[in-house]
Coordinates of all heavy atoms in Angstrom, one line a residue:
P227 N -19.0 -21.0 -26.2 CA -19.5 -22.2 -27.1 C -18.7 -22.3 -28.4 O -18.4 -21.3 -29.0 CB -20.9 -21.7 -27.3 CG -21.3 -20.8 -26.3 CD -20.1 -20.1 -25.9
A228 N -18.3 -23.4 -28.7 CA -17.4 -23.7 -29.8 C -18.0 -23.3 -31.1 O -17.5 -22.7 -32.0 CB -16.9 -25.2 -30.0
A229 N -19.3 -23.3 -31.1 CA -20.2 -22.9 -32.3 C -20.0 -21.4 -32.6 O -20.1 -21.1 -33.8 CB -21.6 -23.2 -32.1
M230 N -19.5 -20.7 -31.7 CA -19.4 -19.2 -32.0 C -18.2 -19.1 -33.0 O -18.2 -18.0 -33.7 CB -19.0 -18.4 -30.7 CG -20.2 -18.2 -29.7 SD -19.5 -17.3 -28.2 CE -19.2 -15.8 -29.0
W231 N -17.4 -20.0 -33.1 CA -16.2 -19.9 -34.1 C -16.3 -20.8 -35.2 O -15.4 -20.7 -36.1 CB -14.9 -20.0 -33.3 CG -14.9 -19.3 -32.0 CD1 -15.2 -19.8 -30.7 CD2 -14.6 -18.0 -31.8 NE1 -15.1 -18.9 -29.8 CE2 -14.7 -17.8 -30.4 CE3 -14.2 -16.9 -32.7 CZ2 -14.6 -16.5 -29.7 CZ3 -14.1 -15.6 -32.0 CH2 -14.3 -15.4 -30.7
N232 N -17.4 -21.6 -35.3 CA -17.4 -22.6 -36.4 C -17.5 -21.9 -37.9 O -17.0 -22.6 -38.8 CB -18.6 -23.4 -36.3 CG -18.4 -24.4 -35.1 OD1 -17.3 -24.6 -34.7 ND2 -19.3 -25.1 -34.6
S233 N -18.1 -20.8 -37.9 CA -18.4 -20.2 -39.3 C -17.2 -19.3 -39.7 O -17.3 -18.8 -40.8 CB -19.7 -19.4 -39.4 OG -19.5 -18.4 -38.4
V234 N -16.1 -19.2 -39.0 CA -15.0 -18.4 -39.5 C -13.8 -19.1 -39.4 O -13.5 -20.0 -38.6 CB -15.0 -17.0 -38.6 CG1 -16.2 -16.2 -38.8 CG2 -14.7 -17.4 -37.1
P235 N -12.8 -18.7 -40.3 CA -11.4 -19.5 -40.3 C -10.8 -19.0 -39.1 O -10.7 -17.7 -38.8 CB -10.9 -19.1 -41.6 CG -11.6 -17.8 -42.0 CD -13.0 -18.0 -41.5
Q236 N -10.0 -19.9 -38.3 CA -9.3 -19.5 -37.3 C -7.7 -19.5 -37.4 O -7.3 -20.5 -38.0 CB -9.7 -20.4 -36.0 CG -11.2 -20.4 -35.6 CD -11.5 -21.3 -34.5 OE1 -10.6 -21.7 -33.7 NE2 -12.7 -21.9 -34.6
S237 N -7.0 -18.6 -36.8 CA -5.6 -18.6 -36.8 C -5.1 -19.5 -35.6 O -5.9 -19.9 -34.8 CB -5.1 -17.3 -36.8 OG -5.1 -16.7 -35.5
D238 N -3.9 -19.7 -35.6 CA -3.3 -20.5 -34.4 C -2.9 -19.5 -33.3 O -2.3 -19.9 -32.3 CB -2.1 -21.2 -34.9 CG -1.0 -20.4 -35.5 OD1 -1.2 -19.2 -35.6 OD2 0.0 -20.9 -36.0
Q239 N -3.3 -18.3 -33.4 CA -3.1 -17.3 -32.3 C -4.3 -17.0 -31.5 O -5.4 -17.2 -31.9 CB -2.6 -15.9 -32.8 CG -1.2 -16.0 -33.4 CD -0.6 -14.6 -33.9 OE1 -1.4 -13.9 -34.4 NE2 0.6 -14.4 -33.5
Q240 N -4.1 -16.6 -30.1 CA -5.2 -16.2 -29.3 C -5.1 -14.8 -29.1 O -4.2 -14.1 -29.4 CB -5.2 -17.0 -27.9 CG -5.2 -18.5 -28.0 CD -5.2 -19.1 -26.6 OE1 -4.4 -18.7 -25.8 NE2 -6.1 -20.1 -26.4
A241 N -6.3 -14.3 -28.7 CA -6.6 -12.8 -28.6 C -5.6 -12.3 -27.6 O -5.3 -11.0 -27.6 CB -7.9 -12.4 -28.2
R242 N -4.9 -13.0 -26.7 CA -4.0 -12.6 -25.7 C -2.8 -11.9 -26.3 O -2.2 -11.0 -25.5 CB -3.6 -13.6 -24.8 CG -2.7 -14.6 -25.2 CD -2.4 -15.7 -24.3 NE -3.4 -16.5 -23.8 CZ -3.9 -16.3 -22.6 NH1 -3.3 -15.5 -21.7 NH2 -4.8 -17.2 -22.1
V243 N -2.5 -12.2 -27.5 CA -1.4 -11.5 -28.2 C -1.5 -10.0 -28.3 O -0.6 -9.2 -28.6 CB -1.0 -12.2 -29.6 CG1 -0.8 -13.6 -29.4 CG2 -2.1 -11.8 -30.6
L244 N -2.7 -9.6 -28.3 CA -3.0 -8.2 -28.4 C -2.8 -7.3 -27.1 O -2.7 -6.1 -27.1 CB -4.5 -7.9 -28.9 CG -4.9 -8.5 -30.2 CD1 -6.4 -8.2 -30.4 CD2 -4.1 -8.0 -31.3
N245 N -2.5 -8.0 -26.0 CA -2.4 -7.4 -24.8 C -0.9 -7.5 -24.4 O -0.2 -8.5 -24.5 CB -3.2 -8.1 -23.6 CG -4.6 -7.8 -23.6 OD1 -5.0 -6.8 -24.3 ND2 -5.4 -8.7 -23.1
T246 N -0.4 -6.4 -23.9 CA 1.1 -6.3 -23.5 C 1.1 -5.9 -21.9 O 0.1 -5.4 -21.4 CB 1.9 -5.4 -24.3 OG1 1.4 -4.0 -24.1 CG2 1.7 -5.6 -25.7
A247 N 2.4 -5.9 -21.4 CA 2.5 -5.4 -20.1 C 2.0 -4.0 -19.9 O 1.7 -3.5 -18.7 CB 3.9 -5.6 -19.6
T248 N 2.2 -3.2 -21.0 CA 2.0 -1.8 -20.8 C 0.7 -1.3 -21.4 O 0.2 -0.2 -21.1 CB 3.1 -0.9 -21.5 OG1 3.2 -1.4 -22.8 CG2 4.5 -1.1 -20.8
Q249 N 0.0 -2.2 -22.2 CA -1.2 -1.7 -22.9 C -2.2 -2.9 -22.7 O -1.9 -4.0 -23.0 CB -1.0 -1.4 -24.3 CG -0.2 -0.1 -24.5 CD -0.2 0.3 -26.0 OE1 -0.7 -0.5 -26.8 NE2 0.3 1.5 -26.2
Q250 N -3.4 -2.6 -22.4 CA -4.5 -3.5 -22.4 C -5.4 -3.2 -23.6 O -5.9 -2.1 -23.6 CB -5.3 -3.3 -21.1 CG -6.5 -4.3 -20.9 CD -5.9 -5.7 -20.6 OE1 -4.9 -5.9 -19.8 NE2 -6.5 -6.7 -21.2
T251 N -5.7 -4.2 -24.4 CA -6.4 -4.0 -25.5 C -7.8 -4.8 -25.4 O -8.8 -4.2 -25.4 CB -5.8 -4.5 -26.8 OG1 -4.5 -3.6 -27.0 CG2 -6.7 -4.2 -28.1
V252 N -7.8 -6.2 -25.3 CA -9.0 -6.9 -25.2 C -9.3 -7.2 -23.7 O -8.3 -7.2 -23.0 CB -8.9 -8.2 -26.0 CG1 -8.8 -7.9 -27.5 CG2 -7.8 -9.1 -25.6
P253 N -10.5 -7.5 -23.4 CA -10.8 -7.8 -22.0 C -10.2 -9.2 -21.6 O -9.9 -10.0 -22.5 CB -12.4 -7.8 -22.0 CG -12.7 -7.1 -23.1 CD -11.7 -7.2 -24.1
W254 N -10.2 -9.5 -20.2 CA -9.6 -10.7 -19.8 C -10.4 -11.8 -20.3 O -9.9 -13.0 -20.8 CB -9.7 -10.8 -18.2 CG -9.3 -12.1 -17.8 CD1 -8.0 -12.6 -17.5 CD2 -10.2 -13.3 -17.5 NE1 -8.2 -13.9 -16.9 CE2 -9.5 -14.3 -17.0 CE3 -11.7 -13.4 -17.5 CZ2 -10.1 -15.5 -16.7 CZ3 -12.2 -14.7 -17.2 CH2 -11.4 -15.7 -16.8
A255 N -11.8 -11.8 -20.5 CA -12.6 -12.8 -20.9 C -12.3 -13.3 -22.4 O -12.7 -14.3 -22.8 CB -14.2 -12.3 -20.9

Side-chain angles (χ1 to χ4, degrees):
M230 286 182 65
W231 314 98
N232 284 348
S233 61
V234 297
Q236 301 174 30
S237 72
D238 55 2
Q239 289 186 320
Q240 293 182 324
R242 69 177 65 250
V243 300
L244 300 179
N245 291 337
T246 65
T248 56
Q249 288 188 355
Q250 185 67 43
T251 299
V252 298
W254 173 87

